[in-house]
Amino acid sequence: DDPNEQDLEGLYEPDGRTLVKLTREQLDALENAPARLVSPIDLDPKNGPSSLSNYPTFPPPDPFPMPKPGFSPPPPNNNDLDVAAFLDDMHAALSNSANGYALKVRQNGQTIGILQWNWARNPDVGDSPARGWNTDRRMHVASMSKLMTAIGLVHLMEATPSVAADDFMLPWLPDYWAKNQGGNDQVTFDNLMNHMSGYSTGGSASDFATMKNNVEAGAHAGMVGVTPDYENMNCGLIRILIATIGGYIHPSTNFGLEFMNDLFWDTLTTAAYEDYMQTYVFNPVAAFPVFDTNTETVLAYRWDSGTAGWDSGDFSCCGGGYGWHMTITETLNVVRAFRTGNIVSLGGESDILNRSWGLNSPLNGESTLAGPIYYKTGRWTTNSNRALGLTEQGVVLLLPDDIEIVIFVNSEISDGVGGFFSLQTLARTVYINNIVSP
């Protein structure tokens, strides 16, 4: 099995179409999981119970700027989220089933709810420095990076009128690649962003060599635009395309020897992707994600917190499909500005949401009594066996009534007696269960 597809685990019934929810019995199992002991945190009289993130942050525009002209609000819907009940149910489900977590709820860019629980870096198993969870802890967000990458690519396409989502991406790949193979000439930017490119790596890798080798082998022509195959490589290729479309390096650039081409193209396109994302997506909203880690970064743990934490490391080689280390606050800043037309146009926002670019939600969103919802999860682990894996995971929910929710959890979610649950499905279920009518 492709480990990437664990991102989608628990989303659909066996028919591949029907979206699942957790049953009442499954929620009860989480809420009744054996209690976890929470160690006291020594208060620092200057900095409080835990220091904030390791990179300086500045408050974003508050409230965010008004959308660009052309904004049309969604039709009114009297059903909305009972935020207090949502928070109560999420804490009941996660407090004894995970090593630790944090979440933040915003409406119209304003914080209306926060939960933070237990250890981001757990001293009970020897990890130092000890750090409690808060919403400014930086964690590897794994596949949530795909949504960020899709936003970056759409921003670039809107700034480059000669390039559109349904155009073929082949001319923008390096000319020195043997790229005229298989179905490569059929692959569009849309195909990359919705995982219908026809590439199938069989794993999570999206380093430069993996992508080059798969392109030179050729996309499976019969799969392009037809068969979904969730691949980190799809958004990995976008980091190369952002570099060429953005004018950082021309597709015809050739440094002579093959190994020199590989070295310089890898280095230059990685730097270009990071520069474009920081300049146009992150920095304008006071977000400062990084690829690397340090002693303040959240560690991943086994579901029972029974072993030392794991630092998943530096992903500067592989950005695009995964790799960004972000805080909950940074993630919320980006998606709020995105939803209000302040990174891409409102038409671009609509395309990303309804064509499911960089998302897990179905085309046009998942229908609920409050309106359509959109979401993206990310999960990174040491082992596909959930009982053994040291795991970090998160989800971002883009909800009706201008609500956004981001949840980070640094372990698997288990009822303690052998059941393991998808964060994405849990969050969706608790949201749907707490939609109320006036």
Side-chain angles (χ1 to χ4, degrees):
D1 292 338
D2 182 348
N4 287 302
E5 293 179 357
Q6 292 180 347
D7 255 359
L8 305 179
E9 213 168 280
L11 185 58
Y12 292 103
E13 297 282 8
D15 63 8
R17 293 179 177 271
T18 307
L19 288 154
V20 301
K21 289 174 55 184
L22 296 185
T23 64
R24 183 66 256 175
E25 291 74 17
Q26 289 172 317
L27 286 172
D28 287 343
L30 286 176
E31 293 174 6
N32 296 319
R36 301 280 176 93
L37 294 177
V38 179
S39 303
I41 301 174
D42 292 330
L43 288 175
D44 180 323
K46 181 178 179 182
N47 297 317
S50 54
S51 62
L52 295 182
S53 61
N54 48 300
Y55 286 82
T57 59
F58 305 94
D62 193 13
F64 281 90
M66 291 297 293
K68 297 172 184 175
F71 175 68
S72 298
N77 186 317
N78 292 327
N79 301 322
D80 56 18
L81 174 65
D82 183 335
V83 175
F86 174 86
L87 293 172
D88 286 345
D89 287 352
M90 285 303 302
H91 184 67
L94 288 173
S95 57
N96 291 321
S97 65
N99 173 79
Y101 79 94
L103 72 81
K104 184 181 285 188
V105 184
R106 280 186 179 172
Q107 186 171 32
N108 295 310
Q110 308 297 316
T111 298
I112 59 172
I114 290 179
L115 294 175
Q116 45 200 40
W117 178 253
N118 220 349
W119 295 108
R121 299 176 66 96
N122 191 343
D124 294 340
V125 290
D127 291 326
S128 177
R131 293 289 183 258
W133 261 110
N134 63 46
T135 57
D136 289 301
R137 294 277 175 235
R138 186 164 274 114
M139 185 186 80
H140 177 217
V141 298
S143 287
M144 290 168 67
S145 302
K146 293 179 174 69
L147 174 58
M148 303 298 155
T149 299
I151 293 171
L153 179 59
V154 171
H155 181 281
L156 177 56
M157 289 192 297
E158 290 188 337
T160 313
S162 60
V163 180
D166 294 317
D167 289 348
F168 299 118
M169 61 94 188
L170 191 65
W172 297 100
L173 291 179
D175 287 348
Y176 86 93
W177 285 8
K179 58 185 182 180
N180 296 311
Q181 311 295 323
N184 287 343
D185 61 351
Q186 302 172 29
V187 180
T188 66
F189 298 104
D190 170 75
N191 296 149
L192 292 176
M193 290 188 285
N194 69 14
H195 298 285
M196 289 193 178
S197 66
Y199 298 115
S200 185
T201 65
S204 296
S206 67
D207 58 277
F208 190 84
T210 295
M211 294 189 295
K212 177 187 175 188
N213 291 340
N214 277 271
V215 168
E216 293 188 342
H220 298 283
M223 294 174 58
V224 178
V226 176
T227 306
D229 188 349
Y230 191 85
E231 293 286 343
N232 286 329
M233 172 183 160
N234 291 321
C235 286
L237 283 172
I238 292 174
R239 79 171 179 266
I240 297 175
L241 299 170
I242 283 178
T244 54
I245 298 168
Y248 293 89
I249 184 171
H250 194 275
S252 64
T253 303
N254 194 304
F255 298 97
L257 298 174
E258 185 89 357
F259 83 93
M260 294 293 289
N261 272 321
D262 289 348
L263 174 63
F264 284 116
W265 267 89
D266 186 11
T267 301
L268 290 170
T269 56
T270 296
Y273 167 76
E274 183 172 11
D275 178 74
Y276 197 90
M277 294 294 293
Q278 298 285 7
T279 302
Y280 296 106
V281 178
F282 298 138
N283 292 357
V285 295
F288 306 97
V290 293
F291 287 131
D292 61 349
T293 62
N294 63 22
T295 57
E296 298 292 325
T297 308
V298 171
L299 297 179
Y301 291 89
R302 203 170 67 187
W303 68 273
D304 60 0
S305 309
T307 61
W310 174 58
D311 181 339
S312 54
D314 185 336
F315 293 108
S316 55
C317 70
C318 307
Y322 57 96
W324 288 115
H325 293 79
M326 303 183 71
T327 71
I328 287 174
T329 301
E330 288 172 337
T331 308
L332 285 166
N333 289 352
V334 172
V335 297
R336 174 88 304 239
F338 159 69
R339 292 187 82 186
T340 53
N342 287 290
I343 300 179
V344 301
S345 72
L346 291 164
E349 176 216 0
S350 177
D351 282 341
I352 289 173
L353 296 179
N354 294 315
R355 297 177 74 169
S356 196
W357 289 342
L359 293 169
N360 292 139
S361 44
L363 296 176
N364 301 309
E366 177 181 355
S367 178
T368 75
L369 292 176
I373 65 173
Y374 310 90
Y375 38 84
K376 180 59 193 164
T377 189
R379 180 171 168 274
W380 204 252
T381 185
T382 60
N383 197 312
S384 59
N385 182 337
R386 294 190 176 218
L388 302 177
L390 283 69
T391 302
E392 51 199 356
Q393 57 183 320
V395 66
V396 54
L397 302 168
L398 309 180
L399 305 173
D401 301 313
D402 287 308
I403 292 174
E404 291 97 34
I405 302 174
V406 175
I407 309 169
F408 285 1
V409 179
N410 60 337
S411 72
E412 296 288 356
I413 299 168
S414 174
D415 60 13
V417 291
F420 291 90
F421 300 89
S422 159
L423 174 60
Q424 180 172 250
T425 302
L426 171 62
R428 288 173 42 251
T429 299
V430 174
Y431 170 75
I432 291 168
N433 287 354
N434 284 292
I435 296 173
V436 294
S437 300

